């Protein structure tokens, strides 16, 4: 099992930016929206379980939510900064 952090794609960055109301966001489909709501609301044990199936999305969500400069980094990935 790889312990490498997956790269965040441009689309995922845009979806997460949209979720947090940041510039450069793009509304995803309903399923992705629901998944992002679940990731945002979950406790860390559940987030780690969700990471098994959706590592890129969880990584991007946590970066935006918890890292200083995380939103700016996602905007760079999305080509919005």
């Amino acid at each position: 099992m790889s312990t490498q952090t997956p790269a965040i794609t441009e689309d995922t960055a845009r979806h997460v930016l949209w979720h947090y109301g940041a510039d450069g966001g793009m509304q995803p489909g309903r399923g992705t929206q629901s998944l992002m709501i679940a990731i945002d609301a979950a406790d860390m044990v559940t987030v780690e379980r969700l990471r098994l199936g959706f590592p890129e999305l969880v990584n991007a969500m946590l970066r935006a939510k918890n890292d200083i400069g995380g939103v700016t980094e996602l905007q760079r990935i999305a080509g919005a900064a």
Side-chain angles (χ1 to χ4, degrees):
M1 182 170 166
S2 176
T3 58
Q4 261 186 335
T5 302
I8 297 171
T9 63
E10 186 176 321
D11 281 346
T12 297
R14 287 181 176 164
H15 294 160
V16 173
L17 290 168
W18 175 86
H19 177 78
Y20 288 110
D23 289 341
M26 178 180 71
Q27 184 173 2
R30 188 171 176 191
T32 301
Q33 288 179 43
S34 297
L35 184 56
M36 290 190 302
I37 290 167
I39 293 166
D40 206 20
D43 60 71
M44 285 312 296
V45 171
T46 304
V47 167
E48 291 306 317
R49 289 180 179 157
L50 288 166
R51 187 190 303 270
L52 295 174
F54 308 96
E56 177 192 0
L57 185 58
V58 169
N59 182 38
M61 295 281 296
L62 293 179
R63 187 173 293 184
K65 187 174 180 177
N66 298 326
D67 291 356
I68 294 172
V71 168
T72 302
E73 175 65 14
L74 292 178
Q75 288 171 327
R76 186 196 62 74
I77 293 168

